[in-house]
Amino acid sequence: MIVKESFNFRRTVPYVRFDLLLAAISATATYLLVDVAEISWLALPSLVATVLGTALAILLAFRANTAYQRWWEASTIWAQITGLSRTLIRVARSLTDAKVAQGAVASDAVQAWQRDLAVRQAAWAHSLARKLRQQDATAEVTRLLPADEADLVLAADNGPAVLARLQSQAIFRGYADGILAGLDNFQLETALAGLSVQQALAERMSTTPIPRPHDYLSRMFVHCYVVVFPFATISVVPAYQWLVIPTTLLIALYFRLIERVGAANEEPFANRVQDVPITALAINLERDLLELIDVPDRPAKAVPVDGYLW
């Protein structure tokens, strides 16, 4: 996620250079043919540029809004994951601390069970973040989990789903050992069910792009408009027709950047600078979960690097 307020324009050049080149060629050809060679019938009515520009602006605005909605939905999904994970560990600690206070179970056994649950949930968040970005989660999984569980998760096609199963099994083991009682396990399973739903929503977001024809047509319409624009506007400035060249370059830059912003935001888990910062959010969630069970040794808080938070 971009958190800095200033941007380096040179970083945008690779995304717009084709359209700028196309605009330069089209505008220069228009000027040479219409003004220099005096082939006046090539000058189109200015109404063509007005109508096509209006239609293109509406299309690109819709594209940009749709992309931002996807980005915001992805951010909302991860906020739900954070909230449900905190709820899981908070409720687990409250329920099991009550058993210790009642003298129903040993304090050491409860603390070990709480820590295992919190650490496994942190590993789940890291594993899901890496899966969404198609990255390797080995470092986080092996750091947080015992060897047998880590091997099981890393060998699975869907590591977060396996970790959710291990969490469920740990909850029922706690019930069998007397750490949990009554309907405690159902309260915790409710949080796990919510996490599974959010995982499915995040996976849908990651694997289902917007319809490809919509993306393709947006790009093609920008290219077509850049070609048509100088022919439809050169007659507007009969005394200074060379102005069609810089004007066309400016229009190409404007429309292409809007189209690229939409294309970039429509994939919020693609490991790009404008993504939802799920890696940083997973680190901060791990800190929160460990803090809930009074573990002082926690990873450092995620901070932006060169204005980007990953």
Side-chain angles (χ1 to χ4, degrees):
M1 182 174 68
I2 303 173
V3 296
K4 61 182 180 179
E5 296 181 357
S6 60
F7 297 88
N8 186 347
F9 180 77
R10 288 179 297 178
R11 291 181 65 103
T12 66
V13 173
Y15 300 99
V16 300
R17 58 188 176 189
F18 175 79
D19 291 85
L20 292 179
L21 177 61
L22 185 63
I25 294 173
S26 176
T28 302
T30 302
Y31 174 71
L32 293 175
L33 292 172
V34 176
D35 187 66
V36 178
E38 298 183 350
I39 308 177
S40 59
W41 61 266
L42 287 176
L44 301 175
S46 60
L47 183 63
V48 174
T50 302
V51 173
L52 292 181
T54 301
L56 181 59
I58 293 173
L59 174 64
L60 294 181
F62 175 79
R63 168 73 183 280
N65 287 337
T66 300
Y68 179 74
Q69 288 173 3
R70 282 175 59 86
W71 189 94
W72 187 254
E73 182 184 354
S75 177
T76 302
I77 288 171
W78 205 267
Q80 292 281 353
I81 287 172
T82 299
L84 288 169
S85 297
R86 291 171 180 166
T87 298
L88 174 68
I89 303 307
R90 173 179 56 79
V91 174
R93 174 165 185 179
S94 298
L95 293 173
T96 52
D97 280 354
K99 300 298 184 298
V100 174
Q102 295 168 3
V105 65
S107 175
D108 292 344
V110 168
Q111 291 177 357
W113 183 85
Q114 291 174 349
R115 182 183 178 89
D116 287 346
L117 200 71
V119 168
R120 195 179 296 110
Q121 188 58 34
W124 180 89
H126 284 293
S127 179
L128 178 59
R130 295 298 184 183
K131 180 177 185 296
L132 294 174
R133 287 183 165 173
Q134 299 181 2
Q135 296 175 329
D136 186 13
T138 301
E140 292 82 4
V141 170
T142 54
R143 174 174 63 85
L144 292 168
L145 298 177
D148 56 338
E149 291 188 4
D151 292 341
L152 187 63
V153 171
L154 293 176
D157 291 333
N158 193 322
V162 172
L163 278 166
R165 188 197 75 196
L166 294 175
Q167 286 289 68
S168 182
Q169 291 172 341
I171 290 171
F172 280 92
R173 279 199 307 271
Y175 183 80
D177 295 340
I179 296 174
L180 299 172
L183 300 178
D184 294 348
N185 57 319
F186 292 105
Q187 295 186 54
L188 301 180
E189 281 292 336
T190 299
L192 283 181
L195 286 165
S196 294
V197 170
Q198 297 305 317
Q199 177 186 340
L201 292 174
E203 290 170 342
R204 175 188 63 82
M205 180 77 64
S206 178
T207 58
T208 307
I210 67 170
R212 290 298 89 189
H214 189 78
D215 174 70
Y216 177 78
L217 290 176
S218 296
R219 285 185 283 115
M220 290 301 102
F221 288 165
V222 171
H223 298 335
C224 291
Y225 187 73
V226 167
V227 172
V228 171
F229 179 81
F231 289 95
T233 57
I234 192 169
S235 60
V236 177
V237 284
Y240 303 98
Q241 292 189 334
W242 60 268
L243 288 175
V244 74
I245 298 176
T247 303
T248 303
L249 289 173
L250 183 62
I251 291 296
L253 177 66
Y254 174 75
F255 279 118
R256 183 57 168 169
L257 283 178
I258 294 176
E259 191 274 331
R260 283 295 86 196
V261 167
N265 287 339
E266 74 185 25
E267 297 181 7
F269 300 133
N271 195 33
R272 298 172 183 159
V273 293
Q274 69 278 353
D275 283 4
V276 176
I278 53 178
T279 299
L281 292 173
I283 294 173
N284 292 336
L285 177 57
E286 178 186 348
R287 288 174 48 85
D288 292 343
L289 298 181
L290 294 179
E291 187 174 36
L292 285 172
I293 58 170
D294 297 333
V295 174
D297 186 15
R298 300 189 294 272
K301 186 176 181 179
V303 295
V305 177
D306 296 329
Y308 304 107
L309 186 63
W310 296 93

